[in-house]
Amino acid sequence: MRIIKPTLKSTGTWIKSHAKLHTVVAVLVLLSGLGATLYYWHNLRESVRTDMDIAYTRQVRTLGSVLSARIQLYENFLRGSSGLFTIQGTTTQQDWDTYHQPYEIRKNYPDIQGIGVSRYLHKDEVGAFLERRYAQGDTDYKIFPEGDREVYVPVTFNAQYAGNNGKSRGYDGYTDPERRKAMDEAVTTGQPTMSGVVQLVSESRGERSSFILYQPLYGTGQPHDTLEQRKASLLGFTYITVDIQTLFDEVIKDSQSPYIGISIYDDESGKLAYQSGNFTAISQQKGTQTNSSDTSLYGHKWRIVFAASPEIISSRERQLPDQALWRGLLTCIFFAGLVWYLITDRERKYARQKQQEVQTAKDDLLSLASHQLRTPATVVKQYVGMLLQGYGGKLTGQQVDMLENAYESNERQLEIINQLLYVARLDAGRITLHKEKVDVNKLLRAVAKDQSEAIKLRHHKIRFELPKRPLMGMLDPHYIRMVVENLLTNAIKYTPEGGIITLSLTRLDNEIEIKVTDTGVGISPDVQTNVFDKFTRVENELSTDVNGSGVGLYLTQQIVQLHGGRIEVQSELGKGSAFIVHLPRAAKLRKQPKE
Ligand code: ADP
């Protein structure tokens, strides 16, 4: 079935075509917001990373300078101790201890394990050396490890401090490649020189890592500017042994950040010299930055690995980029939504206003046109009527036929004009109901009687299913009559000749039900709701033969709804239709009790 509707470009289509544009604008706002947010987030992240680098570099520098200052201190000790040995040619262990006593090394320098002297002896000098030791009362002195060597560098004096059990006295450090390398380097450069990681012979606390700083010792007044001079005048070495763990964990701990873990490797042997307690935990943290740097300290190479925890900067600063990202995202979504809402709302209001204007113009035009048409059409009706009644003189049979056709067409014209007038009034809200008690039973019979001529012309049969007693509704009689007329006219029009039309009336709880049933062409289920639309005709096998404006059912539904009722259609194609109207029933008047 085809629906025939007047083609007016609806504002709905207009809104739809603009909706795409709104979405595009909102998406553009969202995308540009997202772009700005991501750019800001990236910059913030970079600046946080830079802050982390700055904090890290500051920490590393502080540590480096504190460490340098400490080693400088060891060097100063050594130079002083060397002075004592060279001034006093007959230094004894007691002199050595006494000299260092004022420093209160155990208390003030817990990282220093010992300060000592090792004599550099050629094989042929060893005998005289040992005799001197015995002469000084050092009768149990003995060089170890034993063996026949060209050079011996035994520990002669050793001031013992933290963790030192004194067992290194007599130990020939030159037999250990690590110590030997440092001693040779010290002679070659003439400078204090550091060993790599060593385990001290005198260590009493188990396995610990130490390093030894050696200072060459020359004979009194002997030149030692060149390598040859240094080799010729070399008496031995003063040395200082340092416990690496104590140095880092106790002495310079205040200069270390809890957020930086440190591992120190002897870069020449690969041995681990020290690892801070927090190193493993920090290395496993998410976002930790690890850096390693090679450094040469007093002739020995070390590799220091730093693990910087993200906590090196405040958590507030760390969270700034992510917070900015979330805030930015939410703001973008909010603004895109707002823009979309504002544009859509503006467009919707504009469309509604446009629709209103078009509707008002249409209503005015409709009202004006139908008013203007009605008067001349009515005048035509009067004159044709007068002619038919013989006021213009006697008419021939042909003239009567022609005038009767004209009269009928004029009737239809007036009917359509009247309907248009009602539509115009309805749309302008100018229909006021004057409700009163109406006997619907009587009204149905009266309408059927009015239409009896048309019913007869199409050979239809009309049946009534009406209650015996009057059934009252609270209705406007004029408009309810229009409703029944429209439904009955449609039933007559859309039922092939010889059909059955039934008018029924039923009393329900608070309502009355009027039902107009026919055995006509029926309406396809997919267009059943459209039949109530304004200016809508549904094509069927009879619609081309019968007249219609497409407003009858629209008017009917509007009037029913104005009464607070409802209308529905039940129909089957080819079998017939039933239009059912529910309307409010008039309240029963209570009998006044007699006084
Ligand atoms: P009109 O009859 O002037 O076309 P209406 O608004 O009264 O306009 O009806 C709208 C459409 O509903 C009609 O074109 C017709 O196709 C369909 N219709 C109305 N009543 C019936 C009926 N009793 N049986 C079949 N079709 C109907």
Side-chain angles (χ1 to χ4, degrees), residues 461-504:
K461 268 197 190 127
I462 184 139
R463 284 185 186 154
F464 294 97
E465 290 175 359
L466 306 174
K468 291 204 177 73
R469 291 168 57 195
L471 186 51
M472 311 302 282
M474 200 60 186
L475 313 162
D476 183 317
H478 169 70
Y479 285 109
I480 285 304
R481 196 183 175 87
M482 256 177 67
V483 167
V484 181
E485 268 172 10
N486 276 343
L487 296 178
L488 189 57
T489 317
N490 279 347
I492 298 167
K493 282 196 302 188
Y494 298 114
T495 302
E497 286 191 3
I500 299 168
I501 297 168
T502 313
L503 277 183
S504 3

Side-chain angles (χ1 to χ4, degrees), residues 490 493-494 518 523 531 536-538 540 548-550 552-553 577 579:
N490 279 347
K493 282 196 302 188
Y494 298 114
D518 62 50
I523 307 163
V531 295
T536 301
R537 301 201 72 200
V538 177
N540 59 43
S549 55
L553 285 180
S577 316
F579 284 85

